[in-house]
Amino acid sequence: MRALSHKTKPQLNTERLIIDFNQLAAIGATIEGGVSRLALSNEDLEARAWLAEQFEQAGLVVHDDDAGNLSGILRSEQPDARTLIIGSHLDTVPNGGRYDGSVGILGALECVRCIQEAKIELPFHLEIINFTDEEGCWQSLFGSRALTGTLNKDYALTLNDDVGQFRAALFRAGIRPSDVPRARRDPETVLGYLELHIEQSYHLDEKKIDIGVVTAIVGRSTYMITFHGEASHSGTTRTADRRDALLGAANFITEIHRTIRQRYPDGAVNCGNVTVEPGAFNIIPSQACITVECRHSDRDMLDSMQNDLQALAQTISQQYGLEVEVNCRVQMPAAMLSGQMILAAEEACQRVGVSHMRLQGLAGHDAQIMSSFTPTGMIFIPSVNGISHSPKEFTEWADVVKGVRVLLETIMVLAENAPRD
Ligand SMILES: [Zn+2]
């Protein structure tokens, strides 16, 4: 390890951090105490403008890429320096919480200001990034996919029923859809990615542990499954002649939950939506379309869950005299985070003097996209009662501060370990 050239140790300014937190939480604030800053909405654009102003005030280089990712960069004077990216997202789900995404952005901002104030010369450029549409209002993890070059060429067409609105929203945010692939970066220029985030689950809160060092992020696959039957009179059609699409879908839902519980105790399945045609009291449903999501942190297990799901859809459709279409909409493999980042975060926890444990991320994050592009680490802080995506989302302020301290110290550990000329 080498000593870094610095005059003083970086010190967090927690008062400045809380002012930032309150200012950001006010943008898109809801009456229930939550935040609605849907990606590319007026509120999201307002939050980006606010963040760009903070970057400017801090004297950082402000950069917008072609996918709308907004960065503030503290440049290293070292020749051929690579970039350590730290960040998260400003966008939220409708009436979401004040901590999801925000903590990672504000924590990163505070760390960079502290490093600057302590006049520390880092061996890498330090870039704070706000990724576009992490939550998937239009397309989930849009910004990180664009940066890593993993966005589908026809991204606007594949997942959006209303392509026109998505294009319009992109244009309105100053993003030209045809330019988005230019956001792609060369992984050689990037040293790694680090993200501070709330856990969104209950492990840290229940065990009263300060910090979660994330080792893996669950894989996720989503499906639209449409059962086709035949509409006919609900009173006069014989039981044997009925081809009830909804009855098939309902049985599928019950059976898939039972199968996953029994065979994949560490996995999760959710059927979150059903649409029925023609949708009348007295007509047997001719079509039932359900959305299904599967999650598992083990790639092989997730594959196996998906095979079971497809087989079950076929079995049920035969049992009920139906036809079935199974369309996979999202395939997100489980992500392993970097051993080097895990060790750096653990070392940082020890230096800061906080309790820590390794755990898995059960929600989607830009970090899982970044993990196949550059060494990636994630630091979790507790979510009270594991609640997120809700105005009730809450993290004790002391835990937010501990998380930011660990993020700062992790950057310092990486700086000490980075090769220098
Ligand atoms: Zn998030």
Side-chain angles (χ1 to χ4, degrees):
M1 283 191 193
R2 288 156 189 264
L4 288 165
S5 91
H6 56 85
K7 295 191 173 125
T8 46
K9 212 174 150 41
Q11 292 293 334
L12 284 201
N13 182 336
T14 53
E15 276 167 36
R16 181 169 61 190
L17 186 60
I18 205 163
I19 291 169
D20 285 348
F21 181 83
N22 289 331
Q23 282 184 357
L24 182 57
I27 305 174
T30 62
I31 357 169
E32 295 88 349
V35 181
S36 281
R37 276 197 307 262
L38 276 67
L40 310 176
S41 66
N42 286 342
E43 293 77 15
D44 184 32
L45 299 187
E46 195 186 326
R48 286 155 181 257
W50 176 85
L51 184 62
E53 203 181 303
Q54 307 309 308
F55 289 161
E56 264 168 25
Q57 280 176 14
L60 305 178
V61 177
V62 182
H63 175 71
D64 293 281
D65 75 10
D66 287 296
N69 298 317
L70 169 66
S71 300
I73 307 159
L74 178 65
R75 291 190 62 83
S76 167
E77 305 214 333
Q78 187 156 316
D80 306 325
R82 292 196 288 164
T83 301
L84 176 67
I85 306 176
I86 53 174
S88 199
H89 57 98
L90 289 171
D91 69 311
T92 73
V93 296
N95 207 12
R98 294 174 297 158
Y99 300 82
D100 182 350
S102 301
V103 161
I105 295 283
L106 298 175
L109 175 63
E110 184 52 32
C111 289
V112 172
R113 291 193 292 216
C114 295
I115 289 168
Q116 230 178 358
E117 285 164 1
K119 299 193 167 37
I120 292 171
E121 172 55 38
L122 293 175
F124 42 72
H125 307 303
L126 187 54
E127 173 174 348
I128 307 163
I129 197 161
N130 164 48
F131 283 117
T132 304
D133 200 10
E134 191 272 349
E135 296 288 6
C137 171
W138 302 100
Q139 173 149 141
S140 158
L141 311 171
F142 176 81
S144 51
R145 285 175 196 270
L147 187 146
T148 54
T150 53
L151 196 62
N152 255 339
K153 235 173 91 198
D154 52 354
Y155 67 87
L157 306 172
T158 47
L159 288 176
N160 285 280
D161 295 331
D162 196 334
V163 177
Q165 279 192 25
F166 184 25
R167 285 175 61 82
L170 287 170
F171 272 117
R172 209 166 61 95
I175 304 164
R176 286 175 63 86
S178 56
D179 288 349
V180 169
R182 288 177 16 191
R184 181 180 194 155
R185 300 226 195 146
D186 176 359
E188 287 298 311
T189 63
V190 181
L191 185 82
Y193 175 68
L194 256 183
E195 182 167 352
L196 171 68
H197 204 280
I198 54 167
E199 187 199 347
Q200 302 180 273
S201 193
Y202 44 79
H203 299 92
L204 295 174
D205 187 43
E206 276 186 2
K207 295 189 167 76
K208 300 291 166 226
I209 287 182
D210 300 321
I211 298 290
V213 177
V214 184
T215 55
I217 300 174
V218 286
R220 171 174 172 264
S221 303
T222 66
Y223 286 86
M224 295 271 283
I225 302 182
T226 312
F227 292 94
H228 298 278
E230 194 172 2
S232 62
H233 195 294
S234 63
T236 60
T237 310
R238 272 195 298 258
T239 306
D241 293 340
R242 289 176 183 237
R243 297 176 58 224
D244 185 336
L246 182 56
L247 193 56
N251 271 278
F252 174 87
I253 293 171
T254 317
E255 280 302 304
I256 193 71
H257 275 280
R258 198 181 55 78
T259 306
I260 302 301
R261 256 199 322 273
Q262 282 177 355
R263 298 196 55 192
Y264 309 93
D266 296 329
V269 69
N270 183 48
C271 301
N273 193 289
V274 183
T275 48
V276 179
E277 299 287 340
F281 283 109
N282 54 1
I283 309 175
I284 292 168
S286 59
Q287 185 179 302
C289 179
I290 60 177
T291 64
V292 185
E293 180 197 67
C294 307
R295 290 174 190 246
H296 207 292
S297 57
D298 182 295
R299 284 184 186 214
D300 293 341
M301 290 297 229
L302 184 60
D303 286 348
S304 171
M305 276 170 84
Q306 294 179 80
N307 291 339
D308 284 5
L309 172 145
Q310 304 213 13
L312 181 64
Q314 297 301 335
T315 309
I316 298 249
S317 69
Q318 280 161 18
Q319 270 174 11
Y320 290 86
L322 309 171
E323 276 95 53
V324 68
E325 280 173 77
V326 180
N327 288 311
C328 182
R329 303 299 288 263
V330 170
Q331 278 279 15
M332 180 76 68
M336 299 305 292
L337 300 195
S338 144
Q340 171 210 345
M341 290 292 186
I342 292 168
L343 292 175
E346 287 176 337
E347 162 81 23
C349 288
Q350 273 150 28
R351 289 190 193 179
V352 172
V354 291
S355 56
H356 59 96
M357 66 182 282
R358 292 187 177 191
L359 44 67
Q360 293 181 347
L362 301 176
H365 297 287
D366 291 305
Q368 80 197 89
I369 300 291
M370 295 298 281
S371 68
S372 53
F373 175 81
T374 191
T376 292
M378 268 198 108
I379 297 162
F380 277 172
I381 52 174
S383 296
V384 172
N385 297 323
I387 297 170
S388 72
H389 285 191
S390 152
K392 290 185 188 149
E393 181 180 291
F394 182 70
T395 296
E396 296 289 349
W397 185 249
D399 289 336
V400 173
V401 172
K402 283 177 194 164
V404 180
R405 283 193 207 288
V406 170
L407 177 65
L408 176 59
E409 203 53 48
T410 308
I411 297 166
M412 300 312 292
V413 172
L414 294 172
E416 287 165 22
N417 294 342
R420 281 164 178 264
D421 293 334

